[in-house]
Amino acid sequence: MATKRRMNSPAIALMCKSHNYEYLPQTNTFVTGDWVISNSRQQELLGENVILTEGQKSSAYLGGRIVGFVPSGKPTHHTQCKVVFQANPDLVGDTTATGHFNWGTGRSVCYLD
């Protein structure tokens, strides 16, 4: 299926009000907190862009190219993982997810395809 997204636009937005991520200087990557993202979706998202926002109507405060996923250590029946990405300053201020249908109301993950 052909994508309608512009080149370098985000494929996924994560509503991260608490700014729960860490920067790893040795690899120049950011690692988010835990998110529910299926294994098959993780494969699709590898190499795509992610953005972090504070809310449904907020522009991105951080974003970059996804370089990997780390399984969550939490015991749960959902597939939880941390998103690992290399920052791209061009994604700061991105509004692709602003007002996207049905996110932010019980869902903190928004797929932008």
Side-chain angles (χ1 to χ4, degrees):
M1 180 164 82
T3 181
K4 293 180 183 175
R5 284 183 295 106
R6 292 186 327 266
M7 186 87 142
N8 296 323
S9 64
I12 185 173
L14 304 174
M15 192 178 299
C16 186
K17 296 176 188 177
S18 63
H19 293 240
N20 180 21
Y21 59 84
E22 65 178 304
Y23 175 67
L24 304 177
Q26 65 273 26
T27 57
N28 194 31
T29 56
F30 287 85
V31 181
T32 69
D34 295 326
W35 299 95
V36 176
I37 303 172
S38 71
N39 289 328
S40 60
R41 189 65 92 146
Q42 289 175 37
Q43 293 304 311
E44 293 173 15
L45 290 169
L46 207 53
E48 296 286 346
N49 287 318
V50 60
I51 55 173
L52 304 183
T53 71
E54 290 184 341
Q56 184 180 17
K57 297 178 181 174
S58 302
S59 61
Y61 63 82
L62 184 62
R65 186 174 64 84
I66 299 171
V67 296
F69 295 90
V70 178
S72 170
K74 294 180 182 177
T76 177
H77 64 278
H78 293 293
T79 303
Q80 286 195 5
C81 62
K82 299 175 186 308
V83 180
V84 182
F85 65 96
Q86 292 179 322
N88 177 347
D90 292 341
L91 291 171
V92 173
D94 185 276
T95 58
T96 304
T98 305
H100 199 271
F101 176 73
N102 196 27
W103 94 295
T105 52
R107 281 183 53 221
S108 298
V109 176
C110 181
Y111 299 107
L112 302 167
D113 39 23

